[in-house]
Amino acid sequence: MSGLLIAAPSSGSGKTTVTLGLMRALRNRGISLAPGKAGPDYIDPAFHTAASGKICLNYDPWAMRPELLRAHAAISTAGGEALIIEAMMGLYDGAIDGTGSPADLAAMLGLSVVLVVDCGRMAQSVAALVRGYAMHRDDVHVSGVILNKVGSDRHETMLRSSLDAIGVPVLGALRQNHALKLPERHLGLVQAGEHGALDAFIEHAAMQVERGCNLDAILALAHSGPATDVSADVPTFKPLGQKIAIARDVAFAFCYEHLLSGWQRAGVELTFFSPLADEAPADDADAVYLPGGYPELHAGLLADAEQFKSGMAAARDCGARIFGECGGYMVLGEGLVAADGKRYGMLGFLPLATSFVERKRHLGYRRVTPLDPSFFDGPLMAHEFHYATILSEGAADRLFDTADAAGTPLGPAGLRRGKVAGSFMHLIDTARSV
């Protein structure tokens, strides 16, 4: 597979900003890209879409089957696009069972690895660090380094000289720049749709990458692999319906694009509506999907959105299948208590009350088995990441039986009443066969 993985020794090295700048710089040259994000991240892909002009897909080596990863990569690059995927965490960091690292993805797809190294507090030691990452696995090819947060010309000379000695190409050097920092929130970056000057930020990053990096050498690495035939489409899990209405705005933004594109290729019709704009789902929808997001930041608007609430009730009463995921699950509940302690009434479709007064982080991959096969085929791979606490879960059927990435049982999760269901799990793919 021809493509590039932008990775780093650890989180916080600046690989997201470097990736955004690289994507926009190549786009400004008229080069067509196929952007990707490794792992289960629901926020970064929107930034990649903004930078590249193309829909960004997730490539999750733990939660997605290898055949699905290869199919997505092949379909995305069928027109000669350069596949550029940003890694998550450190290059060799994976799930609790030791698998699913960016390195696993690079090996699986044959991607060249460009290592973004935060050099702000090191000089010649960079050679030892890069040598270790380059030699750690024979099936992972670190093809070059971008030096980030370089302090001066003298500092850059020291870094380059040490890397010359070990034969790892330096593809670029970027100076410390406090203007290239994105604002953060408790689940990661503040969403792309909420960044008031995102395009200007990305253009500034692109200008720095254009000045400091060898774009021709980087692009050559992205096209260095053998051509791959477009494989047959690989479905994920059974779609919710044939006409699915999907909530989409800053309160419901955590939706995996690979699921939507897969459903569309299967002939499913998708429509979108904004609960924050008090819009109702399409009248003819036979399913409604409320993805995750930040409903806790907009609870007052949602509580007062009468057309949204009445439209959802009409969909339920007409027999539409309704599914809420994480934030969407909370909105399906009876009440949501915001961080200031004020309680807001939600849809009341499920006997659930949640709160953000006392935040507790819930994070990790999940193996989930549907307890009612009429809703989902199983088992499924998923990811959980939220700070909400459950105040109460009333009388209703449980939706999933769950375990963590190592297979340790975590018990039942989610609720179902008739054709309405939800949980805190972000569903990613059908589980691979053992």
Side-chain angles (χ1 to χ4, degrees), residues 223-234:
H223 286 306
S224 62
T228 303
D229 292 334
V230 177
S231 59
D233 187 30
V234 178

Side-chain angles (χ1 to χ4, degrees), residues 76-334:
S76 296
T77 59
E81 293 82 358
L83 178 63
I84 298 180
I85 300 176
E86 182 197 351
M88 74 288 194
M89 301 186 294
L91 177 59
Y92 295 105
D93 296 329
I96 192 173
D97 64 353
T99 67
S101 69
D104 290 340
L105 179 66
M108 189 183 303
L109 296 183
L111 305 175
S112 299
V113 176
V114 171
L115 200 66
V116 177
V117 180
D118 179 351
C119 302
R121 297 181 180 180
M122 71 173 74
Q124 289 92 341
S125 295
V126 71
L129 184 149
V130 172
R131 184 199 296 269
Y133 276 81
M135 298 181 65
H136 188 64
R137 279 176 54 172
D138 292 338
D139 60 345
V140 176
H141 306 289
V142 177
S143 302
V145 177
I146 293 177
L147 307 173
N148 198 25
K149 303 180 185 179
V150 177
S152 65
D153 290 345
R154 182 170 178 269
H155 186 203
E156 182 178 338
T157 298
M158 297 165 69
L159 295 165
R160 285 182 177 272
S161 297
S162 65
L163 289 167
D164 284 345
I166 66 171
V168 177
V170 176
L171 300 170
L174 304 174
R175 296 300 169 92
Q176 180 76 260
N177 190 330
H178 295 293
L180 293 178
K181 183 173 176 58
L182 289 162
E184 297 185 1
R185 189 180 279 146
H186 53 275
L187 296 182
L189 297 176
V190 171
Q191 294 182 81
E194 299 176 86
H195 196 295
L198 180 60
D199 200 66
F201 175 90
I202 294 174
E203 281 293 341
H204 183 57
M207 180 178 67
Q208 301 306 312
V209 169
E210 181 79 44
R211 289 176 177 175
C213 296
N214 186 337
L215 291 186
D216 292 333
I218 293 172
L219 188 61
L221 289 175
H223 286 306
S224 62
T228 303
D229 292 334
V230 177
S231 59
D233 187 30
V234 178
T236 52
F237 48 83
K238 181 176 67 176
L240 297 170
Q242 282 302 117
K243 293 185 176 182
I244 308 175
I246 301 171
R248 173 166 285 184
D249 53 35
V250 294
F252 299 92
F254 298 168
C255 192
Y256 289 126
E257 291 292 341
H258 72 273
L259 294 180
L260 305 190
S261 62
W263 290 345
Q264 285 179 312
R265 287 196 298 274
V268 174
E269 179 183 334
L270 304 181
T271 59
F272 299 90
F273 67 102
S274 170
L276 289 182
D278 200 11
E279 295 175 354
D283 292 338
D284 61 348
D286 62 359
V288 181
Y289 176 28
L290 302 183
Y294 290 108
E296 68 274 16
L297 301 181
H298 309 278
L301 280 175
L302 293 172
D304 293 337
E306 295 301 328
Q307 291 187 70
F308 162 62
K309 293 164 75 172
S310 62
M312 290 294 296
R316 178 198 57 188
D317 295 343
C318 289
R321 181 175 292 170
I322 298 174
F323 179 63
E325 204 167 64
C326 200
Y329 179 46
M330 293 186 279
V331 173
L332 287 176
E334 295 169 344

Side-chain angles (χ1 to χ4, degrees), residues 367-422:
R367 304 173 188 268
V368 305
T369 302
L371 296 174
D372 182 348
S374 68
F375 224 97
F376 291 109
D377 297 324
L380 304 169
M381 307 298 255
H383 187 256
E384 182 177 11
F385 189 12
H386 64 92
Y387 283 85
T389 56
I390 296 174
L391 298 178
S392 63
E393 285 181 313
D397 295 326
R398 289 292 188 162
L399 185 61
F400 297 125
D401 191 29
T402 66
D404 68 12
T408 303
L410 299 177
L415 298 172
R416 182 181 66 82
R417 271 186 173 174
K419 290 189 175 183
V420 179

